[in-house]
């Protein structure tokens, strides 16, 4: 019989980021928890929370230690609760349940059934989720990429900014197998994860055609990302705030009539994101909604940014380690 508990504590975004990456601190707790950081109020860095998952009842010392990492944590409302077994199973299996979107079928190594006939399978080990997002953002992007291919669109230079586990870069490389594909993430750990996942799926890494180049970067602020521009297609499945921050940078690196796929934002955030991108010469071509999570396909309509003397802020405040579900 499982005995699973959660500790939920309000915090700031900065505190959630720091705690989620403090492996030395977390490994000293008994039992060692899994930390999930969540955005509570859109665009409000002071309205986040952490949820610590324990495989048995946490001690008072473990709870106090978590509180000590949060400013005013001992005065904040903290929730310690035992999860019913069926709830824990649903929660834990969310990271393992296969995703079938377009021609793609994504599953973990533990999946022991056959993929649907004709589907393109990818194996992505379950990763520690940090931040917002989930199956809806993943499936929305995969379905959007699949549709672009079916429409006959051709892309020779592709970038996946905020690649997480590498899945969307893998899908793009499969669809446009002769393209130069660049995959980046703010978190070096994510780049290591992507490299391992590429090996699991027999995908080639490197600088040439049909290969995936990896780098750790804040947004587009990396020599390799800039050197390989302009891009025909950029994919960014991150958070709404960083997407808004990166609008001028994406305008700089995408060629005229190039495509941009945005995801990771909530439906209530879409208008603000689109407003910013329209200011930088993008037009919305298609919107695909998966629950509360839209996936947006935009086209850069006018010549803006590339080879024009701009000074965009190429960095981003995207939290490190934000892998979403996959």
């Amino acid at each position: 019989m499982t005995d699973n508990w959660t500790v939920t504590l309000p915090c700031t975004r900065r505190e959630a980021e720091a705690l989620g990456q403090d492996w030395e601190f977390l490994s000293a707790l008994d039992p060692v928890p899994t930390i999930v950081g969540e955005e509570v109020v859109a665009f409000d860095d002071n309205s986040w929370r952490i949820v610590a998952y324990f495989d048995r009842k946490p001690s008072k010392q473990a709870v106090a230690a978590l509180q000590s990492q949060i400013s005013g944590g001992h005065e904040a409302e903290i929730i310690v609760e035992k999860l019913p077994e069926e709830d824990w199973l649903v929660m834990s299996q969310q990271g393992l349940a296969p995703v079938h979107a377009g021609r793609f079928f994504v599953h973990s190594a533990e999946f022991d059934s056959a993929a649907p006939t004709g589907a393109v399978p990818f194996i992505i080990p379950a990763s520690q989720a940090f931040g917002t997002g989930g199956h809806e953002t993943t499936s929305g992007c995969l379905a959007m990429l699949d549709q672009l291919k079916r429409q006959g669109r051709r892309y020779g230079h592709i970038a996946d900014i905020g690649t997480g586990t590498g899945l969307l870069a893998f899908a793009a490389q499969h669809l446009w197998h002769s393209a130069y594909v660049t995959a980046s993430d703010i978190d070096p750990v994510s780049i290591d994860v992507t490299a391992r996942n590429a090996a699991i799926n027999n995908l080639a890494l490197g600088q040439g055609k049909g290969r995936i180049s990896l780098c750790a970067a804040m947004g587009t602020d990396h020599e390799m990302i800039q050197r390989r521009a302009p891009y025909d297609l950029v994919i960014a499945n991150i958070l709404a705030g960083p997407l808004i921050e990166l609008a001028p940078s994406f305008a700089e690196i995408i060629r005229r009539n190039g495509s941009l796929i945005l995801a990771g934002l909530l439906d209530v955030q879409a208008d603000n994101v689109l407003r910013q991108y329209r200011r930088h010469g993008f037009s919305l071509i298609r919107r695909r909604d998966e629950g509360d999570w839209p996936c947006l396909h935009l086209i850069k309509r006018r010549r803006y940014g590339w080879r024009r003397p701009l000074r965009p802020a190429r960095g981003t405040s995207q939290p490190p380690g934000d892998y979403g579900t996959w």
Side-chain angles (χ1 to χ4, degrees):
M1 178 69 66
T2 56
D3 186 22
N4 300 291
W5 292 71
T6 60
V7 176
T8 304
L9 185 65
C11 63
T12 66
R13 174 177 175 170
R14 184 181 297 275
E15 289 167 338
E17 294 173 13
L19 183 58
Q21 295 298 304
D22 194 345
W23 307 118
E24 183 176 356
F25 168 78
L26 295 175
S27 63
L29 300 181
D30 184 25
V32 177
T34 295
I35 299 294
V36 176
E38 298 176 340
E39 184 183 41
V40 177
V41 179
F43 303 108
D44 186 351
D45 287 353
N46 292 317
S47 296
W48 280 55
R49 67 187 170 206
I50 59 165
V51 183
Y53 292 90
F54 292 87
D55 60 10
R56 62 182 185 273
K57 185 176 181 179
S59 66
K60 292 182 179 179
Q61 291 78 9
V63 174
L66 287 173
Q67 290 177 293
S68 71
Q69 301 301 300
I70 305 301
S71 176
H74 290 284
E75 289 76 36
E77 180 182 0
I78 186 169
I79 300 174
V80 180
E81 61 182 347
K82 183 178 180 180
L83 294 177
E85 184 174 0
E86 62 272 19
D87 287 351
W88 172 258
L89 289 174
V90 170
M91 186 282 299
S92 63
Q93 290 299 317
Q94 285 177 347
L96 302 177
V99 171
H100 191 188
R103 70 191 69 192
F104 299 108
F105 186 75
V106 187
H107 61 89
S108 69
E110 291 78 11
F111 181 75
D112 57 3
S113 300
T117 302
V120 178
F122 285 121
I123 300 173
I124 302 293
S127 296
Q128 188 177 29
F130 183 78
T132 57
H135 278 342
E136 293 87 351
T137 62
T138 299
S139 59
C141 288
L142 291 173
M144 187 74 79
L145 290 171
D146 181 74
Q147 183 176 44
L148 293 179
K149 178 66 175 181
R150 295 182 189 280
Q151 290 173 345
R153 295 182 183 268
R154 299 180 181 180
Y155 302 115
H157 290 77
I158 301 170
D160 179 17
I161 307 297
T163 194
T165 58
L167 174 58
L168 297 181
F170 300 165
Q173 193 277 333
H174 172 84
L175 294 172
W176 296 282
H177 55 83
S178 296
Y180 295 92
V181 179
T182 303
S184 71
D185 199 279
I186 192 173
D187 189 357
V189 174
S190 175
I191 298 304
D192 293 338
V193 168
T194 298
R196 291 196 298 272
N197 290 342
I200 291 171
N201 290 280
N202 298 313
L203 298 173
L205 301 179
Q207 298 282 327
K209 283 187 176 182
R211 294 176 178 267
I212 301 172
S213 298
L214 304 178
C215 67
M218 290 186 60
T220 66
D221 190 14
H222 192 282
E223 181 273 335
M224 187 180 78
I225 296 173
Q226 296 293 317
R227 170 170 48 84
R228 292 165 71 96
Y231 297 94
D232 308 305
L233 170 64
V234 170
I235 309 160
N237 180 16
I238 48 179
L239 297 175
L243 287 178
I244 289 174
E245 295 169 354
L246 286 169
S249 300
F250 287 160
E252 181 193 43
I253 66 172
I254 298 176
R255 70 171 70 250
R256 184 182 182 186
N257 295 324
S259 290
L260 174 63
I261 294 178
L262 303 180
L265 63 156
L266 289 162
D267 55 0
V268 296
Q269 300 168 325
D271 287 344
N272 285 336
V273 172
L274 284 171
R275 188 178 301 112
Q276 182 70 7
Y277 278 85
R278 289 189 180 105
R279 290 181 55 199
H280 290 85
F282 289 92
S283 297
L284 178 65
I285 300 300
R286 185 168 185 267
R287 170 173 171 163
R288 179 187 181 91
D289 287 86
E290 298 277 351
D292 294 330
W293 303 92
C295 180
L296 310 176
H297 175 210
L298 295 85
I299 293 288
K300 181 178 167 185
R301 286 303 192 189
R302 68 174 186 264
R303 191 172 181 84
Y304 183 100
W306 181 246
R307 300 189 186 282
R308 179 175 175 176
L310 294 177
R311 297 183 181 274
R314 295 170 177 168
T316 172
S317 58
Q318 171 74 1
D322 188 359
Y323 302 158
T325 297
W326 291 101

